[in-house]
Amino acid sequence: MKAEDVKKMVQEKYGSIASQSVVLNQSGCCGPSACCGELEFSMIGDEYTSMKGHNPDADLGLGCGLPTEYAGIHPGDSVLDLGSGAGNDCFVARSIVGENGKVTGLDFTEEMISKAQVNLAKTGFTNMEFVLGDIENMPLPENAFDVLISNCVLNLVPDKQQAFSEIFRVLKPGGHFCISDVVLVGDLPEKIKHEAEMYAGCVAGASQEPDYLQIIQNIGFSDLQIHKRRAITVPDDVLRKYLSEEEVAELKSKGAGIFSLTLSATK
């Protein structure tokens, strides 16, 4: 798929999710309730409900980790959340930075921005904002943020090198990011990698883990740390929609898989 087609598809899918009144919760990137349309299985494995600042109205269950848990956010920090959706991680970050900090959410889906702004209006917070924009070309100044977070979003961005270049640009010198994302280990069959609905479900857009980490290092980040690594199991009944029994068996024998990583690095 061309990059512009991928972006359009992701916008349409997540715009549809934002327009629904139901909160996905444990459905993750997708789920058995089919509330996301034709998405197939859940990526989520971490709960936000016990975290300070959790806003149930903003929690659409679309993450694959808890980046704020390892982000090292301090009171007074300026924090940017990429792919902020309805504002879930932003509200958690706001509870840490307090009144003297600032939290900015960036998302390129108008419906998500609208939903986040509705959620924000209910709080009365004046040091939060939600900005419409593309991660590959952020409408934000350079050297502006102490901490950058993102949750199960960069795997959907076609040009990850450009995305991390932009992350480097907007972080202050000495600033850092903490990201939860989906990566691949080994080769997945093309039928899965390039299936559009699986892409919006966080699979086909994911990079190989070594390539992903190499991009971060090549951009110039230092102190790269992996805080959490979790295997994501695709149920057999989902695999069989795309693969034959023989192909499913071969996939398992190779040890190829999908993993959620929560990692950080410093500018």
Side-chain angles (χ1 to χ4, degrees), residues 14-107:
Y14 286 87
S16 175
I17 292 172
S19 299
Q20 297 168 5
S21 60
V22 64
V23 176
L24 307 187
N25 289 330
Q26 296 186 16
S27 297
C29 292
C30 32
S33 63
C35 54
C36 300
E38 299 176 12
L39 295 180
E40 300 288 0
F41 63 96
S42 174
M43 291 290 184
I44 202 164
D46 298 298
E47 290 292 334
Y48 273 83
T49 52
S50 62
M51 298 193 72
K52 183 180 178 182
H54 175 252
N55 185 330
D57 292 335
D59 187 357
L60 301 184
L62 295 171
C64 59
L66 296 174
T68 51
E69 185 175 14
Y70 303 96
I73 301 171
H74 295 104
D77 277 348
S78 179
V79 178
L80 172 63
D81 180 19
L82 297 184
S84 50
N88 190 28
D89 286 295
C90 290
F91 289 108
V92 174
R94 169 59 176 76
S95 73
I96 304 172
V97 303
E99 295 181 359
N100 295 323
K102 183 176 181 180
V103 178
T104 301
L106 179 75
D107 203 285

Side-chain angles (χ1 to χ4, degrees), residues 51-206:
M51 298 193 72
K52 183 180 178 182
H54 175 252
N55 185 330
D57 292 335
D59 187 357
L60 301 184
L62 295 171
C64 59
L66 296 174
T68 51
E69 185 175 14
Y70 303 96
I73 301 171
H74 295 104
D77 277 348
S78 179
V79 178
L80 172 63
D81 180 19
L82 297 184
S84 50
N88 190 28
D89 286 295
C90 290
F91 289 108
V92 174
R94 169 59 176 76
S95 73
I96 304 172
V97 303
E99 295 181 359
N100 295 323
K102 183 176 181 180
V103 178
T104 301
L106 179 75
D107 203 285
F108 82 152
T109 306
E110 292 183 0
E111 293 89 345
M112 283 294 186
I113 291 291
S114 296
K115 195 173 188 70
Q117 289 172 337
V118 169
N119 291 332
L120 175 58
K122 297 176 184 177
T123 68
F125 295 150
T126 58
N127 59 337
M128 290 181 65
E129 65 175 342
F130 292 97
V131 177
L132 183 68
D134 192 328
I135 291 173
E136 293 178 7
N137 185 24
M138 299 185 208
L140 299 169
E142 63 183 19
N143 303 323
F145 299 96
D146 299 294
V147 184
L148 182 147
I149 57 176
S150 187
N151 196 346
C152 209
V153 172
L154 291 179
N155 50 282
L156 298 173
V157 176
D159 190 339
K160 292 171 180 56
Q161 180 158 325
Q162 177 61 24
F164 277 106
S165 293
E166 280 289 273
I167 290 171
F168 194 91
R169 182 183 68 82
V170 301
L171 279 171
K172 295 178 182 179
H176 65 276
F177 71 73
C178 188
I179 291 170
S180 294
D181 213 354
V182 173
V183 297
L184 305 179
V185 174
D187 294 325
L188 289 180
E190 294 298 311
K191 294 177 183 177
I192 290 179
K193 288 177 64 177
H194 297 296
E195 168 59 41
E197 292 297 340
M198 293 291 280
Y199 191 104
C202 309
V203 177

